[in-house]
Amino acid sequence: MIHQTIFNRLRRIEGQIRGIEDMVVAEKPEQEILIQLEAARSSLSSTIGTLIGSLLKKNEDGTVVLEESQIRALLRFVKRN
């Protein structure tokens, strides 16, 4: 389920990027391109948040349990940002 959600969001982001490429080719004003770049960045950030949220599922007692590979992936992500 989460993979389909992520896939759908990435397809939308891909469309946004293609639209931005078209704007650059058409030499649209920089401020318009920046607005669309920010929208694409916001979409990507939201997608990342959804993916991270899917890792942070809680047990019956409310604690979050992560596998070691999940912890490593999150730490790599945090270190880069």
Side-chain angles (χ1 to χ4, degrees):
M1 177 72 172
I2 189 67
H3 289 94
Q4 187 62 47
T5 299
I6 298 299
F7 179 80
N8 291 341
R9 287 180 179 215
L10 290 173
R11 293 301 295 257
R12 273 186 251 127
I13 294 167
E14 180 183 23
Q16 287 178 300
I17 298 300
R18 271 193 254 106
I20 295 167
E21 289 173 342
D22 293 343
M23 292 176 75
V24 171
V25 169
E27 297 183 4
K28 296 287 184 181
E30 286 82 1
Q31 62 270 24
E32 289 181 27
I33 296 169
L34 283 172
I35 290 168
Q36 294 307 313
L37 284 169
E38 178 55 34
R41 179 168 55 181
S42 177
S43 296
L44 188 57
S45 292
S46 176
T47 303
I48 290 167
T50 298
L51 191 58
I52 289 173
S54 75
L55 291 175
L56 302 178
K57 294 187 179 166
K58 295 181 180 179
N59 282 343
E60 309 81 44
D61 64 356
T63 58
V64 175
V65 178
L66 295 172
E67 296 174 13
E68 188 174 335
S69 62
Q70 293 170 319
I71 293 169
R72 282 195 306 268
L74 285 172
L75 288 174
R76 276 195 308 273
F77 177 77
V78 170
K79 285 180 185 177
R80 291 183 181 151
N81 293 294

